[in-house]
Amino acid sequence: MTARFFVVREDILPEAIVKTIQVKEILKSGKAHTINEAVERVGLSRSAFYKYKDGVYALAEIAREHIITVAMDLEHRSGVLSSVLGVIAAHDGNLLTMNQSIPLQGYANVVLSVDVSGLSKEIEPFIDLLKQQQGVRNALVIGQG
């Protein structure tokens, strides 16, 4: 069975789920050094924490770690953007958003948000590959989470 994911408002989640997320945040922040210490702080049993810990994540935690924003200057001619998108797809990137300016003096500025969680290369070589595409004048990571 394929895993399904949902975005759910915190106030309708069962208490054990909310407390599991709180425990993970406490551990990540260093306010507690052991799972025992963290679960005691929030009033959750260790067994409940272990039951949910691998299936519950704060949305910001997931999104922050796998998305880059790339600004590019592309020549205004047929196929340039298509080749860039092809490179992203070929390396298991997933385009999330794209904003493109009107071409001026033969170039358009394009800003892409890309989910790189499945990227088959490191970020820098991937950006270098984008820069090597014909018609790409520049590519720069302007945001990364």
Side-chain angles (χ1 to χ4, degrees), residues 24 26 31 38 44 48 72 78 95 102 106 112-113 120:
K24 290 173 79 172
I26 288 170
K31 293 178 182 173
L44 180 69
M72 306 176 77
S78 182
L95 182 68
I102 295 173
L112 308 173
S113 295
S120 55

Side-chain angles (χ1 to χ4, degrees), residues 33-139:
H33 299 291
T34 66
I35 290 171
N36 264 351
E37 188 181 340
V39 295
E40 283 180 18
R41 263 189 151 161
V42 300
L44 180 69
S45 70
R46 279 181 16 142
S47 63
F49 174 75
Y50 283 110
K51 179 178 180 179
Y52 298 120
K53 75 176 182 69
D54 293 327
V56 175
Y57 302 93
L59 182 60
E61 178 183 341
I62 294 170
R64 181 175 57 240
E65 295 181 12
H66 304 293
I67 298 173
I68 62 171
T69 303
V70 181
M72 306 176 77
D73 292 321
L74 306 180
E75 284 183 26
H76 178 59
R77 61 182 171 79
S78 182
V80 175
L81 180 57
S82 180
S83 73
V84 167
L85 297 178
V87 168
I88 292 169
H91 291 87
D92 299 320
N94 185 27
L95 182 68
L96 301 173
T97 64
M98 178 176 69
N99 294 300
Q100 180 176 350
S101 68
I102 295 173
L104 297 171
Q105 300 176 348
Y107 286 91
N109 181 263
V110 177
V111 177
L112 308 173
S113 295
V114 181
D115 178 345
V116 293
S117 57
L119 198 64
S120 55
K121 285 188 170 284
E122 294 293 319
I123 302 281
E124 286 184 38
F126 174 68
I127 298 301
D128 289 340
L129 253 177
L130 293 175
K131 289 178 183 177
Q132 293 168 14
Q133 297 306 298
Q134 199 158 35
V136 175
R137 182 167 67 176
N138 193 17

